[in-house]
C-alpha cells in the first residue's frame, strides 16, 4: 500500500473537482438525491455496499461483520436556501440554493477518507461506518434524528465529525471536552387581540403594544434569571403585525431563537418565557400563544473522544495549532443527536485567511479546498488510533 501522503496527492485533483461539482449543484435538506447518487456511486467503486438512510442520506461499512471496535465518521451534505453572489467558475447554477456552509467540502473529505480506508481494509482491526447525513441545516428537525431512528448508530462505539470554520485561522484545529456548540429552541409567539380604528384604541386590544412589551420583558430572562456562570442568548428576530398605518391589527407574530450550553438552563429559560407570556397577556388583555420547539440539543464532546482528536491533531498539525480558543460556539449542529447516543467528538478546522474571510452562511463564503488533505489525515489517524491496526 502506498504511503498515505502519496495516496492523498493522487486523490486530490479528482476530489477537488468533485467538491466543485457538488458546489455547482447544491441540494436542500432531504432533497439531496443527486448528491446521494454521487456518494453511492463513489463508494461502490471502492468496494463498499452503501445503503440509503434517512431518505437522502447514505451509510456504508468498511468491514461489515468484522469483530472489534466500530468508529463512525460523519459528513453533512445539504446546502442553504440562499443565493450565491461569487463569480467562482463552479458557482451554484441553481436559483436560491448555495453551499454556504461548506457541506460540499465535508462530503468530499469523507469520500477521500473512504478511499484511503478502502486501501487499508485488511489492516484495520474492526469496522468504520461512513455516515453521509442529509438536512443538517434544520429542515424538519434535521437529518441526524432520522438517521438515529433508522439505526445508523447500531454497533457504533464512537463517532467523529468536523466543520470548517473561517472564523479560526487556517490549519488550526479547535476542540474541547464538554459543550462545544449550543442547543437551539425556535420561538414563535402568536399574539391575538382585537383590532380597530387607530383613532379609537380604547375599543381595541392592541397586539402590537403587547408584542413590544413582550420583547422588552423577555430581555430580562437572561439578565435577571440566569446565573453569571451560565450562558444563554435569547434573540427576538422578527416582529410582524398590521398592514395600514391607521388600523390597529387583531394579530401580531414574533419569532426568535434561544441558545444555551446546558439543558437545565434551557428548561429554566423556557419556564420563564411561558410565565412572562402569561403575565403580559393578562396585563395587556390579549391572548399569547408561545410555540417553543426544541430543535437541536447541546453538542457535548465526550472527554476521551475530544482527547483523542486533540492528540491526533497535535501529531499532524503540531501542538501550537491545536486549541480550545473560541469554544464553545453559540451556533448549533444536530451532531449532538449522535453524541447523545454514543461517545463522540466534533471539532473545527480553521479556514480563515484573515479577519475578513467570509464566514459560514455568508453569500461570498466558499469551502477552503486546502482543508481536504488535512481532514483526510485527521480522520484516517483517528481510525488508526480508535479502531486499531492488526498486528
Ligand atoms: Zn450551516
Ligand atoms: Zn454547516
Amino acid at each position: 500500500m502506498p504511503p498515505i501522503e502519496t495516496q492523498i496527492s493522487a486523490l486530490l485533483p479528482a476530489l477537488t473537482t468533485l467538491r466543485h461539482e457538488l458546489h455547482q449543484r447544491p441540494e436542500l435538506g432531504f432533497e439531496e438525491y443527486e448528491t446521494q447518487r454521487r456518494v453511492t456511486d463513489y463508494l461502490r467503486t471502492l468496494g463498499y455496499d452503501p445503503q440509503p438512510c434517512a431518505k437522502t442520506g447514505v451509510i456504508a461499512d468498511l468491514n461489515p461483520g468484522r469483530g472489534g471496535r466500530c468508529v463512525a465518521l460523519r459528513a453533512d451534505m445539504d446546502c442553504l436556501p440562499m443565493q450565491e453572489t461569487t463569480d467562482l467558475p463552479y458557482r451554484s447554477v441553481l436559483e436560491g440554493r448555495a453551499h454556504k456552509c461548506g457541506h460540499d467540502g465535508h462530503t468530499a473529505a469523507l469520500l477521500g477518507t473512504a478511499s484511503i480506508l478502502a486501501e487499508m481494509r485488511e489492516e484495520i482491526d474492526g469496522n468504520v461506518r461512513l455516515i453521509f447525513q442529509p438536512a443538517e441545516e434544520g429542515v424538519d428537525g434535521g437529518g441526524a434524528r432520522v438517521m438515529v431512528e433508522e439505526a445508523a448508530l447500531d454497533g457504533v462505539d464512537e463517532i467523529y465529525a468536523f466543520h470548517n470554520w473561517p472564523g479560526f485561522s487556517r490549519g488550526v484545529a479547535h476542540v474541547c471536552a464538554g459543550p462545544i456548540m449550543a442547543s437551539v429552541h425556535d420561538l414563535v409567539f402568536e399574539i391575538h387581540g382585537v383590532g380597530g380604528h387607530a383613532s379609537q384604541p380604547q375599543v381595541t386590544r392592541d397586539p402590537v403594544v403587547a408584542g413590544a412589551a413582550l420583547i422588552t420583558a423577555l430581555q430580562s430572562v437572561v439578565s435577571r434569571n440566569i446565573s453569571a456562570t451560565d450562558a444563554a442568548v435569547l434573540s427576538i428576530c422578527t416582529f410582524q403585525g398590521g398592514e395600514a398605518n391607521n388600523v390597529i391589527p387583531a394579530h401580531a407574530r414574533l419569532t426568535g431563537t434561544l441558545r444555551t450550553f446546558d439543558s437545565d438552563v434551557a428548561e429554566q429559560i423556557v419556564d420563564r418565557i411561558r410565565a412572562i407570556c402569561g403575565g403580559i397577556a393578562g396585563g395587556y388583555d390579549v391572548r399569547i400563544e408561545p410555540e417553543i420547539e426544541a430543535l437541536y440539543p447541546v453538542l457535548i464532546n465526550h472527554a476521551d473522544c475530544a482527547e483523542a482528536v486533540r492528540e491526533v491533531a497535535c501529531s499532524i498539525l503540531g501542538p501550537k495549532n491545536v486549541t480550545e480558543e473560541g469554544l464553545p460556539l453559540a451556533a448549533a449542529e444536530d451532531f449532538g443527536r449522535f453524541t447523545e447516543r454514543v461517545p463522540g467528538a466534533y471539532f473545527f478546522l480553521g479556514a480563515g485567511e484573515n479577519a475578513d474571510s467570509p464566514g459560514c452562511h455568508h453569500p461570498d463564503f466558499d469551502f477552503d479546498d486546502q482543508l481536504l488533505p488535512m481532514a483526510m489525515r485527521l480522520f484516517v489517524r483517528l481510525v488508526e488510533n480508535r479502531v486499531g491496526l492488526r498486528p
Side-chain angles (χ1 to χ4, degrees), residues 123-145:
E123 227 185 311
I124 291 172
D125 198 19
N127 189 19
V128 180
R129 181 159 306 156
L130 306 167
I131 298 184
F132 293 87
Q133 185 202 308
E136 187 284 318
E137 297 287 2
V139 180
D140 290 342
R145 189 182 57 184

Side-chain angles (χ1 to χ4, degrees), residues 317-341:
L317 306 169
K320 70 173 196 312
N321 289 321
V322 183
T323 178
E324 294 188 357
E325 223 171 277
L327 302 177
L329 287 179
E333 163 53 93
D334 68 351
F335 188 72
R337 300 252 183 235
F338 295 123
T339 54
E340 277 179 338
R341 299 298 180 105

Side-chain angles (χ1 to χ4, degrees), residues 76 101 103 136-137 163:
D76 39 18
C101 206
H103 299 182
E136 187 284 318
E137 297 287 2
H163 206 291

Side-chain angles (χ1 to χ4, degrees), residues 122 124 138 213 223 269 289 293 324-325 339 370 372 376 378:
E122 288 315 311
I124 291 172
S223 73
I269 293 178
E289 289 169 10
E293 190 194 355
E324 294 188 357
E325 223 171 277
T339 54
Q370 293 187 48
L372 288 174
M376 286 153 70
L378 282 160

Side-chain angles (χ1 to χ4, degrees), residues 76 78 80 100-103 106 136-137 163-165 332-333 346 360-361:
D76 39 18
D78 56 325
L80 284 158
K100 293 296 156 185
C101 206
H103 299 182
H106 302 166
E136 187 284 318
E137 297 287 2
H163 206 291
N164 76 95
W165 201 254
E333 163 53 93
Y346 189 81
C360 292
H361 295 205

Side-chain angles (χ1 to χ4, degrees), residues 231-265:
V233 176
L234 197 173
S235 294
I236 300 300
C237 301
T238 71
F239 188 159
Q240 291 156 335
E243 286 179 82
N245 66 352
N246 57 359
V247 178
I248 291 171
H251 173 247
R253 185 175 200 264
L254 311 179
T255 68
T257 185
L258 165 66
R259 313 280 169 129
T260 72
F261 299 102
D262 182 316
S263 55
D264 290 342
V265 172

